[in-house]
Amino acid sequence: MIEMHSVVAGYGGGDVLQGLDLSVRPGTITCIVGPNGAGKSTVLRAISGQIHPREGEIRLAGAAIHGHSPAAVISAGIVQVPQHNGLFADLTVRDNMLLGGYLIRRDKARLRRRIAELEEVFPIVRERADEKAANLSGGQRRIVEFARALVLEPRMVLLDEPTLGLDPKASALVFDSTRMMRDLGTTVLMVEQNVRFGLRLASHGVVMERGRVLLADSSEALLARPDMAAMFFGSSAPPADPAEPEPEPGSGTGPGTDPQREDAHL
Ligand SMILES: Nc1ncnc2c1ncn2[C@@H]1O[C@H](COP(=O)(O)OP(=O)(O)OP(=O)(O)O)[C@@H](O)[C@H]1O
């Protein structure tokens, strides 16, 4: 789905991504983890066209997208959910959803149909349609942001720390909603500070360090590695059983809702 080859990119002050190779398979949830400053968010910015690689290639289903503008990347089928203030606070949930479909605004029937589909999957979008986004809780806003990102039926969604600032109950909602995105056929690439949460949610994991990929494997395999435990979980003991059952949708509890963020920072 996405292939990054030898990508070198940064912000003017120097290169953050130092020849990064990364691939994301279609239909998966892939989670990037790693220490602060490793360049995780920079990977998402390079894919979404907010920054342009100085060297290397980024391909979506074989077609080069590096150097494309953010609008061109959206048109190619990749939508990023911003880390902060993704919704217009003074607009209603419905108007925020309509803005998500701005690019297809002339195809009113398609837009209406798509929003109706998303209201089925994410009921909050219908229940709070007339409410200003500012009146929603942090977790509810996140779900509306997810739904809005899906209006254009993207092939891939980029999530930058989707649980940042959320309590465990809201994080559980994010967990379930991310799985729902995937179940709708969207490939998800996410960055998550909470390593256990992110790897339990994802099917594949990527560990970054200093602008490069250190490890890439199934998240189950990563969670089972003793060196991962040492790197991220502050002990050499293996982490809790990664195969434990997933939470029921909407249950608000379970392994994906680890309220402890002690492993959030290295
Ligand atoms: N807009 C920017 N301008 C200049 N430097 C930046 C910018 N954004 C990030 N950086 C720098 O790039 C490096 C990598 O940042 P990035 O946000 O990708 O890291 P990260 O792995 O996502 O970690 P974090 O969890 O701290 O966000 C850091 O040293 C950061 O200071």
Side-chain angles (χ1 to χ4, degrees):
M1 161 76 45
I2 277 279
E3 297 284 339
M4 299 176 78
H5 294 297
S6 307
V7 171
V8 178
Y11 301 93
D15 297 325
V16 174
L17 304 183
Q18 314 260 358
L20 177 118
D21 295 305
L22 182 144
S23 64
V24 177
R25 294 188 209 170
T28 61
I29 300 175
T30 298
C31 182
I32 307 177
V33 299
N36 291 120
K40 305 179 295 295
S41 300
T42 303
V43 170
L44 301 190
R45 289 188 202 113
I47 295 173
S48 63
Q50 294 171 58
I51 61 169
H52 292 154
R54 195 165 64 72
E55 289 175 23
E57 295 184 338
I58 306 177
R59 294 185 176 273
L60 172 66
I65 56 164
H66 49 274
H68 286 197
S69 67
V73 174
I74 291 171
S75 297
I78 302 178
V79 172
Q80 178 159 5
V81 176
Q83 201 179 67
H84 298 292
N85 306 323
L87 300 180
F88 292 95
D90 288 335
L91 297 185
T92 63
V93 166
R94 181 180 293 110
D95 287 343
N96 271 286
M97 290 294 287
L98 289 170
L99 277 173
Y102 185 77
L103 289 181
I104 56 166
R105 65 193 179 284
R106 290 188 216 295
D107 191 347
K108 289 201 170 57
R110 178 179 165 200
L111 184 53
R112 256 201 310 273
R113 191 181 61 240
R114 183 60 180 162
I115 291 179
E117 281 168 8
L118 292 167
E119 284 173 345
E120 289 298 316
V121 182
F122 304 104
I124 188 111
V125 174
R126 179 175 287 148
E127 289 159 13
R128 310 295 293 271
D130 297 318
E131 198 88 51
K132 280 188 178 176
N135 296 340
L136 271 54
S137 71
Q140 291 169 337
R141 275 202 295 272
R142 215 83 266 249
I143 302 318
V144 175
E145 286 169 8
F146 282 15
R148 188 181 64 169
L150 296 176
V151 173
L152 294 176
E153 300 181 66
R155 292 198 259 183
M156 185 174 196
V157 167
L158 308 175
L159 305 178
D160 196 354
E161 298 200 25
T163 63
L164 194 72
L166 299 185
D167 63 24
K169 193 157 171 255
S171 296
L173 201 58
V174 164
F175 188 101
D176 293 341
S177 303
T178 308
R179 290 270 174 95
M180 285 179 206
M181 276 189 174
R182 191 264 323 269
D183 293 345
L184 287 170
T186 317
T187 302
V188 177
L189 177 61
M190 61 185 288
V191 167
E192 180 56 55
Q193 283 276 338
N194 187 325
V195 176
R196 278 199 183 105
F197 178 95
L199 292 181
R200 283 174 178 152
L201 167 54
S203 53
H204 293 75
V206 171
V207 181
M208 279 186 68
E209 195 177 68
R210 294 195 204 96
R212 286 204 180 88
V213 171
L214 196 64
L215 296 168
D217 209 334
S218 73
S219 22
E220 202 174 332
L222 287 178
L223 279 165
R225 284 178 68 117
D227 54 346
M228 281 290 286
M231 263 192 286
F232 290 108
F233 308 124
S235 85
S236 57
D241 179 14
E244 53 188 304
E246 294 161 15
E248 290 301 310
S251 68
T253 59
T257 65
D258 186 353
Q260 305 302 320
R261 291 185 68 100
E262 83 279 9
D263 57 349
H265 299 279
L266 299 178

